[in-house]
């Protein structure tokens, strides 16, 4: 599954983006994602949980 299939807004810039795509694919199947890098996953229709946001 590529980043384009998941609806990422921009092309990958580093190999790290492949890991983002893998994490997003698992999160899509579960419906939620916990991350501090929420901006990379916005627009996927996921519940994004950022436990560091209000620290």
């Amino acid at each position: 599954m590529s980043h384009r299939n998941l609806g990422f807004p921009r092309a990958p810039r580093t190999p790290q983006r492949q890991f983002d795509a893998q994490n997003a694919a698992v999160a899509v199947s579960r419906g939620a994602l916990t991350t501090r890098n929420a901006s990379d996953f916005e627009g996927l229709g996921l519940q994004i949980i950022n436990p560091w946001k209000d620290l």
Side-chain angles (χ1 to χ4, degrees):
M1 184 172 263
S2 77
H3 68 282
R4 288 190 179 102
N5 293 343
L6 293 171
F8 278 94
R10 57 188 179 272
R13 59 184 183 263
T14 66
Q16 182 64 35
R17 298 292 291 173
Q18 180 179 3
F19 295 115
D20 286 348
Q22 289 173 340
N23 289 336
V26 171
V28 166
S29 74
R30 304 289 194 264
L33 176 71
T34 301
T35 182
R36 62 189 325 173
N37 188 16
S39 63
D40 281 353
F41 300 96
E42 291 174 349
L44 297 179
L46 293 170
Q47 176 187 6
I48 299 174
I49 302 163
N50 184 349
W52 296 271
K53 185 177 180 182
D54 296 322
L55 290 180

